[in-house]
Amino acid sequence: MTRDSRGNWFLAGFTLLVFILLYGPIFVPIASSFFALKQGVVNWQQPTTLAYVTLASNEGILVALRNTMIVGVSAVVCSLILGMASALYFNSGRSKGRALLQFIIFLPFLMPPIITGLALLIYFREIDFDRSLVTVIIGHTVFVLALVYRTLLVRLQSLSRSLVEASYDLGASGFQTFRYVLLPNLTSAMIGAGVLAFALSFDETMITLLVTGTDNTLPTRLWAMMRLGFTPDINALVAVILALTTLMCLLAARYLMPRESTGT
Amino acid sequence: MSTDKLLLELKAVSKSFGSTNVLAHIDLAVRDGEFITILGPSGSGKTTILRMIGGFESPSSGQILLDGADISPLPINKRPFNTVFQDYALFPHMTVAANVGYGLKVRGTKNAEITDRVSQALALVQLADFAGRYPAQLSGGQRQRVALARAIICRPRLILLDEPLAALDVELRRHMQLFLKDIQREIKTTFLFVTHDQEEAIAMADRICVMNAGHIQQLGSAHEVYYRPANEFVARFFGDNNLIEGRLQETVDGIRWIETPLGRLACAIDGQAGVAAASLGARAFAAFRPESLSLTPTGHASENATRGCITALSFAGAHTLANVAVDAAEPLSLRLRLPSRVEGVAVTPGMIVDLYWRAVECRLVLV
Amino acid sequence: MSRRRFKPATASSHWPATGAVFAFPIAFILLPLAAFLAYSFFWTEQGVMSYALTLRNYARFFTDPVFLPVLRQTCVLCLEVAFLTVLAGYPVAYFLASLRGRIRYILLMLMLVPLLMSYVIKIYAIRSILGGHGALNRALLWLGLIDEPLTVFVFNLNAVLLTLTVLLIPFAVLPIFLSLERIPRSLMDASADLGASATQTFMRVILPLSLPGTITALTFVFVLAIGDFLTPQMVGGQSGFTFGRIIYSQFGTAFNWPFGAALSVILAVVVIAAIALGTIFGRDRSALK
């Protein structure tokens, strides 16, 4: 943008600094996870993988990890189905009802999560719905639905309307049109949205804290552990989570980036 | 080519979107096997007609009959018509072969038969070697031909073409016009072709339906709409007709006279019952084409003549257009078209010329 | 056949399918929000709920000397966070937008990856960096700026401010980057061609055109910061009390749901006001053609 190279070097340096600021809180615990911990202070002279061994035998964490997976996968499946149905419906015409539906779906995304969480908490109590992993799944679905819906709708709207018309014109039924024309063109958006939704669900803390019963997900488990003071296996867990998250990011990027050209 | 048997009829079809009337009382009969073109400026309602026949829109009132039976209840996918879309609407995730075979596949046709018929259709549009390609790897003209192959493979009764050549460059468009016409002759299927390009319509159509503002202005062969325009709109839409307004006079020996600022003009009226029946003194235009004007007497029994001054020349390649100012009761300008020669045309600006044109090339258009 | 505009007979045009599409959002978004709004007008005393509608919760909020100042303090804090993130985020976005080719998107991705890292872990890590034995104090000791570790960085509002700023920087970078990216390079060339210096081009062309994105960034960060109760809970200590924490405590230790609901409604009003202000001032005037 600017051709002033001194200015550019300054900007590059500043950007590097911000990157360090952003990555510091991620890499410090990972680095510490490979060293021994003595009274809360890392001993950098004593490398060890003990933290990982402790982690692997920490029953509470493993259960929380399993819960997180269950919740994440369920929320992804629910939000994909609901998001797809809503996007197809919204795209099939114009009406006040459609605009209202879209507004409702966007609400939990606009409001702070604490409000979504509290609203669900109060609602579940009023309708006598016991808090459990099911309520957590509902909460997460509500939370990620806007994103999934939006991603699918954008892709749907990028498809020429005449593609659907052409399919009907050639004799296809509504289902055949969905199966053969729309779905193949939405697959990558679905995978991308699904991965992103999973990543959001994986890390969702505020809503989960409010709507969960006795079950813990990984973030709420971590939250509880850290308030009580920490153990070395937390650092190990951070490393594991980072690895998983990075993998998910790469997957999401792979499917959400615009394709260079169709087919080869 | 076309028979007199009717394939499709539109009866008093109207269409409005909200409070906007797009089509008003359209009556149109399409003959089996003909190449019919709906021609009109954008917003004339021509695409709406096509979309209603295809089933993409339903008429606000009126009927669409196929072989005499109302097809309104039939949804798009049950109508024996196929469409070539303006943007081609090729499925980007399917190969050329899969695109072309789609209509057969969704009908549950056996794979072996699909393969056979796809290769036949691709051979017909000269794309046999492109079966495995994706639409993104094709040129505009090739995509156009895939869209055509996809539309003809189900052997529809009628093929609807929605300005399919609009996106192509001039050279390719000329080529595709001939190509489409050949294909239509070969598969003996009725083509309903929508365009805003009058040259395209003239080059391809058996019959042209000229549309404007939701009404059919004229329906007839290219010759008819070109030489016997039914009204002022059609007269102005095709080429740059000279239109001189005047009042109708008597008919003598198949020639009807009109009193204009240029004097009394003789006009042929064969095939124009409306003009023949119009009352004395009715207002009308005398319409004659720039290329009908001659600088020397035509030697014809009934001819018109006038004198004027060349005011401007514009060279347009094969011909040169000249503006001629005529000193009549009110100032008038006529357009004159002369063949170009290396040494130039026979006139120069400022020259006084006499113009002659035959009564058979001077037509009346009622106001 | 209906006289209405014909729609291809997709499943979604049928009433049962339409009902199904609406069912979940109504059951689990609209109704909960309605219940939540209703709760803010209930009253509870010594564990006994009264379902008669009352404004007492709101009256308590405006009359009690505690809540209004905390809300004001929290708003100021979140505004500070928003300005700090934009201050840090703008140069980064500008640098990213000035790059060409793949590297610009790779760096942008790298900027966003920390967002997907566990929020709780990041708070915890920042707390340990800010703490007595943390990296910050060590660096200051090493530089000789201080003689012994400082404790002013943790368990107070400063800690909340610093932590939220670090956590939310990517949310500021993204909208600013998107608005900068949309500015055609030809505008800069035109400005230079007309004799403007690099600084003049920035001040008169780039800055005004990226203003909508910058305001979006401010709104975005403000809304995220004010809704957060995890960060203040973890690094705020006794003095770092924020509005979000108070709300959360109504559902935990204080156990007064109607009052918590009323406080949340007030939070929602603040958020809606922030979004509305952001929309009004962030409107892209150059796009209104």
Side-chain angles (χ1 to χ4, degrees):
Chain A
M1 233 173 236
T2 167
R3 273 149 203 153
D4 177 0
S5 66
R6 253 187 319 151
N8 257 348
W9 280 111
F10 169 76
L11 283 175
F14 188 86
T15 304
L16 183 69
L17 215 75
V18 170
F19 267 87
I20 291 172
L21 214 56
L22 291 176
Y23 277 89
I26 299 170
F27 282 115
V28 168
I30 293 174
S32 329
S33 75
F34 294 101
F35 295 92
L37 206 66
K38 202 178 276 178
Q39 283 148 3
V41 181
V42 181
N43 181 353
W44 298 102
Q45 265 77 48
Q46 209 180 334
T48 170
T49 53
L50 188 72
Y52 291 86
V53 178
T54 323
L55 176 68
S57 56
N58 186 330
E59 200 62 34
I61 292 242
L62 293 178
V63 170
L65 186 65
R66 201 202 60 199
N67 286 343
T68 305
M69 290 292 173
I70 293 172
V71 169
V73 170
S74 312
V76 165
V77 171
C78 294
S79 62
L80 277 177
I81 293 171
L82 288 164
M84 176 69 86
S86 308
L88 285 175
Y89 174 69
F90 186 84
N91 202 38
S92 67
R94 274 162 192 270
S95 68
K96 289 218 173 75
R98 289 180 169 83
L100 180 71
L101 177 73
Q102 176 162 293
F103 177 71
I104 297 174
I105 290 176
F106 282 157
L107 272 178
F109 205 71
L110 292 173
M111 289 289 115
I114 188 172
I115 289 180
T116 308
L118 290 180
L120 282 170
L121 172 65
I122 288 170
Y123 181 64
F124 287 139
R125 185 166 96 165
E126 282 305 306
I127 63 169
D128 276 331
F129 199 100
D130 284 337
R131 285 187 274 165
S132 66
L133 278 188
V134 175
T135 54
V136 178
I137 290 169
I138 292 173
H140 283 204
T141 305
V142 165
F143 181 60
V144 300
L145 182 58
L147 176 108
V148 172
Y149 163 80
R150 185 78 200 142
T151 310
L152 294 179
L153 184 68
V154 165
R155 179 65 62 87
L156 206 54
Q157 284 173 337
S158 77
L159 296 176
S160 165
R161 194 174 178 78
S162 59
L163 282 186
V164 172
E165 290 186 347
S167 174
Y168 281 112
D169 183 74
L170 291 163
S173 64
F175 178 74
Q176 283 173 320
T177 301
F178 177 72
R179 170 73 188 79
Y180 297 128
V181 177
L182 289 180
L183 206 53
N185 282 298
L186 291 173
T187 317
S188 62
M190 284 174 70
I191 296 176
V195 172
L196 219 54
F198 186 82
L200 283 181
S201 161
F202 194 83
D203 188 34
E204 210 304 312
T205 319
M206 293 192 232
I207 295 175
T208 316
L209 272 178
L210 291 166
V211 299
T212 188
T214 51
D215 299 290
N216 264 320
T217 62
L218 212 45
T220 59
R221 175 83 201 162
L222 283 170
W223 175 248
M225 285 166 76
M226 285 174 189
R227 280 156 54 86
L228 297 172
F230 51 82
T231 50
D233 43 344
I234 293 182
N235 286 335
L237 187 61
V238 172
V240 173
I241 292 177
L242 177 75
L244 282 174
T245 316
T246 310
L247 190 72
M248 285 191 287
C249 285
L250 290 175
L251 276 176
R254 161 92 177 67
Y255 286 101
L256 279 182
M257 283 284 181
R259 277 176 292 178
E260 315 261 312
S261 74
T262 326
T264 308
Chain B
M1 181 63 41
S2 73
T3 61
D4 288 338
K5 187 176 162 264
L6 286 185
L7 176 76
L8 188 81
E9 271 180 288
L10 273 66
K11 283 195 169 164
V13 168
S14 299
K15 177 70 185 174
S16 46
F17 294 114
S19 58
T20 326
N21 292 316
V22 182
L23 290 175
H25 255 71
I26 297 293
D27 289 303
L28 178 65
V30 179
R31 297 171 191 151
D32 201 10
E34 77 172 330
F35 195 124
I36 187 166
T37 292
I38 301 183
L39 171 69
S42 60
S44 60
K46 54 190 192 303
T47 297
T48 306
I49 292 188
L50 180 130
R51 289 179 62 81
M52 285 193 305
I53 296 173
F56 307 109
E57 315 276 357
S58 64
S60 303
S61 64
Q63 281 185 306
I64 300 176
L65 308 176
L66 173 69
D67 299 326
D70 191 358
I71 57 166
S72 302
L74 284 186
I76 307 171
N77 47 6
K78 299 278 184 267
R79 296 190 182 197
F81 312 141
N82 286 131
T83 307
V84 175
F85 291 83
Q86 186 168 12
D87 64 354
Y88 315 138
L90 298 181
F91 305 123
H93 59 294
M94 296 183 195
T95 61
V96 166
N99 261 287
V100 174
Y102 185 81
L104 298 176
K105 182 182 164 187
V106 296
R107 281 177 177 75
T109 312
K110 287 201 180 64
N111 279 336
E113 190 188 341
I114 295 181
T115 316
D116 268 9
R117 281 170 65 179
V118 165
S119 45
Q120 279 170 27
L122 285 179
L124 186 69
V125 298
Q126 298 162 15
L127 283 176
D129 298 336
F130 293 79
R133 300 263 190 112
Y134 283 87
Q137 299 168 301
L138 302 178
S139 71
Q142 289 166 340
R143 283 179 213 179
Q144 166 68 74
R145 283 184 279 160
V146 175
L148 183 65
R150 190 177 69 174
I152 63 181
I153 197 163
C154 294
R155 296 173 190 145
R157 301 285 305 280
L158 173 66
I159 291 180
L160 305 164
L161 302 101
D162 184 11
E163 305 214 27
L165 307 182
L168 304 179
D169 62 57
V170 180
E171 210 38 55
L172 190 55
R173 202 182 311 166
R174 298 253 159 77
H175 175 77
M176 284 303 297
Q177 287 168 7
L178 297 175
F179 182 77
L180 276 175
K181 190 79 186 145
D182 284 345
I183 295 270
Q184 194 253 343
R185 247 175 243 137
E186 192 159 336
I187 63 175
K188 300 182 181 63
T189 303
T190 315
F191 273 43
L192 193 145
F193 186 99
V194 164
T195 181
H196 63 268
D197 180 340
Q198 35 140 328
E199 282 180 35
E200 194 164 280
I202 290 172
M204 303 173 75
D206 296 325
R207 288 199 301 159
I208 298 174
C209 170
V210 186
M211 296 278 308
N212 187 43
H215 292 271
I216 293 181
Q217 305 292 323
Q218 190 171 4
L219 175 64
S221 69
H223 262 266
E224 281 165 350
V225 294
Y226 193 78
Y227 287 111
R228 285 178 224 152
N231 57 33
E232 186 183 350
F233 175 81
V234 181
R236 289 192 193 278
F237 194 66
F238 282 92
D240 46 2
N241 250 323
N242 292 302
L243 291 179
I244 309 294
E245 196 175 344
R247 291 196 181 273
L248 290 177
Q249 297 189 327
E250 74 285 0
T251 307
V252 182
D253 295 337
I255 298 290
R256 181 135 205 196
W257 293 87
I258 179 168
E259 180 65 40
T260 72
L262 289 180
R264 262 164 67 91
L265 298 180
C267 306
I269 54 170
D270 53 296
Q272 288 177 283
V275 174
S279 57
L280 282 178
R283 288 170 58 223
F285 289 103
F288 45 98
R289 300 204 160 267
E291 65 268 27
S292 302
L293 294 171
S294 155
L295 295 174
T296 52
T298 58
H300 204 267
S302 55
E303 69 173 6
N304 301 299
T306 192
R307 173 168 293 184
C309 175
I310 304 283
T311 53
L313 289 177
S314 68
F315 177 60
H319 60 263
T320 300
L321 277 169
N323 281 358
V324 184
V326 180
D327 195 17
E330 54 187 275
L332 277 173
S333 179
L334 297 180
R335 303 272 284 162
L336 164 67
R337 189 146 100 158
L338 297 165
S340 304
R341 294 280 184 269
V342 178
E343 61 273 19
V345 284
V347 296
T348 52
M351 185 187 264
I352 305 292
V353 291
D354 287 314
L355 299 173
Y356 304 90
W357 66 105
R358 298 186 298 165
V360 286
E361 290 189 81
C362 189
R363 288 284 167 175
L364 289 169
V365 176
L366 297 176
V367 172
Chain C
M1 177 96 207
S2 80
R3 293 281 181 229
R4 288 179 308 125
R5 187 172 172 175
F6 177 74
K7 304 262 167 44
T10 52
S12 55
S13 64
H14 300 315
W15 273 108
T18 309
V21 167
F22 275 92
F24 183 88
I26 287 178
F28 294 110
I29 300 176
L30 209 55
L31 288 180
L33 285 172
F36 155 79
L37 193 63
Y39 246 71
S40 72
F41 296 104
F42 298 156
W43 182 254
T44 182
E45 205 140 22
Q46 269 116 38
V48 180
M49 278 285 287
S50 149
Y51 286 92
L53 298 182
T54 169
L55 285 171
R56 283 172 74 183
N57 291 315
Y58 293 97
R60 181 177 167 203
F61 169 78
F62 284 108
T63 50
D64 194 299
V66 174
F67 302 110
L68 214 47
V70 171
L71 177 62
R72 206 193 55 232
Q73 201 179 347
T74 307
C75 285
V76 170
L77 174 83
C78 294
L79 275 176
E80 286 169 358
V81 171
F83 278 104
L84 282 177
T85 53
V86 165
L87 222 54
Y90 198 103
V92 175
Y94 188 86
F95 177 69
L96 292 185
S98 73
L99 296 172
R100 285 162 197 259
R102 286 181 73 87
I103 182 78
R104 138 202 272 209
Y105 293 101
I106 291 171
L107 284 182
L108 186 70
M109 274 309 288
L110 282 176
M111 166 74 41
L112 299 179
V113 163
L115 283 188
L116 292 175
M117 268 304 297
S118 173
Y119 199 70
V120 175
I121 288 170
K122 279 185 294 186
I123 302 174
Y124 151 78
I126 294 172
R127 187 177 74 178
S128 69
I129 290 170
L130 295 175
H133 301 290
L136 183 63
N137 268 314
R138 281 181 206 219
L140 292 176
L141 282 171
W142 183 74
L143 286 170
L145 293 173
I146 52 174
D147 298 328
E148 54 186 56
L150 295 180
T151 52
V152 296
F153 300 123
V154 77
F155 301 128
N156 53 33
L157 276 182
N158 293 338
V160 180
L161 178 72
L162 288 174
T163 311
L164 281 174
T165 303
V166 171
L167 288 173
L168 299 177
I169 283 176
F171 289 106
V173 174
L174 192 61
I176 299 175
F177 171 82
L178 292 176
S179 70
L180 284 171
E181 194 195 25
R182 280 219 312 265
I183 303 175
R185 267 168 207 273
S186 59
L187 289 188
M188 279 149 247
D189 293 343
S191 174
D193 181 67
L194 294 165
S197 68
T199 316
Q200 285 170 320
T201 300
F202 177 78
M203 294 304 289
R204 291 173 177 275
V205 179
I206 299 172
L207 199 58
L209 284 174
S210 62
L211 207 58
T214 309
I215 289 171
T216 307
L218 285 173
T219 318
F220 217 18
V221 172
F222 178 82
V223 169
L224 286 169
I226 204 164
D228 186 9
F229 60 89
L230 300 178
T231 307
Q233 189 89 356
M234 194 114 134
V235 301
Q238 289 303 315
S239 63
F241 229 66
T242 65
F243 201 60
R245 265 178 95 174
I246 291 182
I247 294 177
Y248 185 59
S249 69
Q250 299 305 317
F251 290 82
T253 46
F255 208 74
N256 186 336
W257 286 22
F259 187 60
L263 294 181
S264 305
V265 169
I266 288 159
L267 176 69
V269 169
V270 172
V271 166
I272 290 167
I275 294 174
L277 282 176
T279 313
I280 293 167
F281 290 106
R283 192 171 294 144
D284 191 350
R285 284 177 192 84
S286 58
L288 288 177
K289 275 183 184 167

